[in-house]
Amino acid sequence: MPTTVGIETTGDDAGIEHFIRGLPKTDLHIHLEGSIEPELMLTLADRNGISLPWSSTAALRSAYHFEDLQSFLDLYFAGCRVLVHERDFYDVTLAYLERAVVDGVIRAELFIGPQSFTERGVSISTLISGVLTAMDDATRKHGISIGLLISAHRHRSEADALALLDSILPWSNRILGVGLGGAEAGNPPSKFERFFHAARKKGFHTTVHAGEEGPAAYVREAIELLQVDRIDHGITCRDDPALVEDLAAMAIPLTVCPLSNLKLKVVQSLETHPLKTLLDAGLRVTINSDDPPYFGGYVSENLIACRQALGLSVSDIVQLARNGFSSAFISQDEADAGIGSIDAYLDEHVAFS
Ligand code: HPA
Ligand code: ZN
């Protein structure tokens, strides 16, 4: 066991960035629809004869400026229109996974929200087949471990979410869990109590976006009413010290996405992001990419930006990576192996240990 934790580094920025990129990591909060790089977005639009308001990658990239979650969701849902055929879902999934592999991610848990597609006549089987085939190919080629999470839209009704749950049951042995995304304000977790209860009864893991734009009370509802295994974002819990204590005591993971929070103006600056405060309070904080091209980075870029803005130590960075493996929906053996691969990496990088 290396002696990394607790020891600060004086390494130069380039050395630490290289260290972060090579560190074995997880990405537990990434939306496949939000992972489409501009080049692929234009290719798919062209292939499927779909006209988009942007004709170049530069025009697309320059549209990635947001005022809040809703202004992002408007663009995100517009982008979903380019995914029509099984091959499209395959291409998007494989493209994300290949970037994740290069980024040092060895365990990824991928969200997809089928309601954007099924409402336009794409069948659930088209979507799931494309995603699963790409997951299998990526694991075979690169050894990456991958899980699939199905996300319901919270701005739609609970009846719609329950119908979605029914529709995925034929693939229940290949789907790890369910989540909830979309416009948070005014759509509290309590709206989906029966959905999460039914999902748990079917044996799915559960996670919910809560405490991104919504108040700490939504995080409280998520753990008490929905009894979820994990919280996506969750950062507004900082406004309720008793909740912070409870999250730490219950070891409920938060899948935090700092660049997303910055771009959606959930925080005013990365320097004021509560990540380090929550980590120091003993919460099981993990770092994730959310919708990488829209927000300007994969997991490593999130870690690099936070290191600079918040003065994270190497110990903090290693702790965040370890938390990823203890928060993933994997067996204890696989979590131990992931943490073991971090320890082996630290042994090889003695300058950082
Ligand atoms: N919040 C809510 N819904 C989402 C997000 C998010 O960060 N990303 C994709 N759908
Ligand atoms: Zn998200």
Side-chain angles (χ1 to χ4, degrees), residues 34-111:
S35 75
I36 315 175
E37 289 285 342
E39 294 74 12
L40 184 55
M41 179 83 77
L42 295 181
T43 301
L44 294 175
D46 191 43
R47 195 158 91 188
N48 293 324
I50 287 161
S51 71
L52 290 175
W54 313 277
S55 55
S56 69
T57 55
L60 251 175
R61 280 189 208 285
S62 67
Y64 294 169
H65 293 285
F66 309 108
E67 284 313 308
D68 52 19
L69 174 58
Q70 188 59 54
S71 64
F72 156 69
L73 289 171
D74 292 344
L75 209 70
Y76 167 91
F77 289 129
C80 286
R81 291 168 47 237
V82 303
L83 296 172
V84 181
H85 302 292
E86 182 173 331
R87 183 178 156 205
D88 307 332
F89 291 95
Y90 176 92
D91 288 348
V92 164
T93 306
L94 193 64
Y96 162 74
L97 289 168
E98 295 200 320
R99 282 178 180 265
V101 167
V102 171
D103 194 38
V105 169
I106 64 171
R107 170 70 185 177
E109 297 184 2
L110 317 174
F111 283 115

Side-chain angles (χ1 to χ4, degrees), residues 13-329:
D13 281 355
I16 291 164
E17 289 188 19
H18 185 74
F19 170 82
I20 287 173
R21 290 184 195 283
L23 181 67
K25 296 181 286 294
T26 58
D27 193 358
L28 306 180
H29 178 167
I30 173 266
H31 302 264
L32 285 172
E33 311 90 310
S35 75
I36 315 175
E37 289 285 342
E39 294 74 12
L40 184 55
M41 179 83 77
L42 295 181
T43 301
L44 294 175
D46 191 43
R47 195 158 91 188
N48 293 324
I50 287 161
S51 71
L52 290 175
W54 313 277
S55 55
S56 69
T57 55
L60 251 175
R61 280 189 208 285
S62 67
Y64 294 169
H65 293 285
F66 309 108
E67 284 313 308
D68 52 19
L69 174 58
Q70 188 59 54
S71 64
F72 156 69
L73 289 171
D74 292 344
L75 209 70
Y76 167 91
F77 289 129
C80 286
R81 291 168 47 237
V82 303
L83 296 172
V84 181
H85 302 292
E86 182 173 331
R87 183 178 156 205
D88 307 332
F89 291 95
Y90 176 92
D91 288 348
V92 164
T93 306
L94 193 64
Y96 162 74
L97 289 168
E98 295 200 320
R99 282 178 180 265
V101 167
V102 171
D103 194 38
V105 169
I106 64 171
R107 170 70 185 177
E109 297 184 2
L110 317 174
F111 283 115
I112 190 157
Q115 289 158 305
S116 303
F117 309 101
T118 52
E119 74 170 4
R120 294 199 319 268
V122 175
S123 78
I124 188 84
S125 134
T126 295
L127 176 160
I128 292 187
S129 301
V131 171
L132 289 177
T133 308
M135 286 168 51
D136 291 343
D137 285 354
T139 298
R140 202 169 38 247
K141 275 198 229 163
H142 305 291
I144 181 171
S145 162
I146 312 157
L148 179 60
L149 303 170
I150 299 295
S151 179
H153 291 155
R154 68 198 313 148
H155 48 283
R156 299 178 197 260
S157 69
E158 186 179 47
D160 285 352
L162 286 162
L164 171 64
L165 184 62
D166 272 346
S167 76
I168 62 171
L169 292 180
W171 294 273
S172 56
N173 64 334
R174 297 288 324 265
I175 294 169
L176 264 187
V178 301
L180 189 65
E184 187 179 5
N187 294 299
S190 52
K191 179 176 162 187
F192 292 89
E193 198 173 346
R194 285 176 309 157
F195 169 67
F196 278 91
H197 181 74
R200 277 191 287 114
K201 258 179 73 179
K202 297 285 180 201
F204 290 114
H205 289 286
T206 55
T207 178
V208 60
H209 282 57
E212 179 185 16
E213 278 190 342
Y218 282 16
V219 179
R220 176 67 78 186
E221 276 187 13
I223 56 172
E224 289 187 355
L225 286 181
L226 307 189
Q227 297 174 26
V228 288
D229 303 314
R230 221 158 62 191
I231 303 282
D232 298 309
H233 295 295
I235 60 169
T236 63
C237 73
R238 70 172 161 209
D239 300 330
D240 179 347
L243 176 62
V244 169
E245 267 184 36
D246 289 347
L247 288 166
M250 295 166 83
I252 299 208
L254 302 188
T255 65
V256 175
C257 308
L259 288 175
S260 164
N261 299 152
L262 180 67
K263 290 290 164 67
L264 300 189
K265 301 189 165 47
V266 168
V267 292
Q268 292 313 306
S269 66
L270 270 190
E271 284 75 9
T272 55
H273 196 288
L275 156 73
K276 168 92 172 125
T277 311
L278 296 175
L279 188 67
D280 289 345
L283 269 73
R284 196 171 285 185
V285 176
T286 67
I287 298 293
N288 308 274
S289 68
D290 210 4
D291 304 282
Y294 289 100
F295 302 140
Y298 288 74
V299 178
S300 291
E301 283 84 27
N302 273 273
L303 283 166
I304 289 164
C306 287
R307 189 190 86 79
Q308 287 162 350
L310 295 167
L312 298 184
S313 65
V314 170
S315 320
D316 292 330
I317 290 162
V318 170
Q319 186 61 48
L320 289 163
R322 283 190 209 279
N323 288 351
F325 292 101
S326 49
S327 304
F329 295 145

Side-chain angles (χ1 to χ4, degrees), residues 1 24 26 106-107 145 284 321-345:
M1 170 71 98
T26 58
I106 64 171
R107 170 70 185 177
S145 162
R284 196 171 285 185
R322 283 190 209 279
N323 288 351
F325 292 101
S326 49
S327 304
F329 295 145
I330 50 180
S331 66
Q332 189 61 52
D333 280 354
E334 188 176 344
D336 291 345
I339 290 169
S341 68
I342 294 178
D343 291 339
Y345 183 78

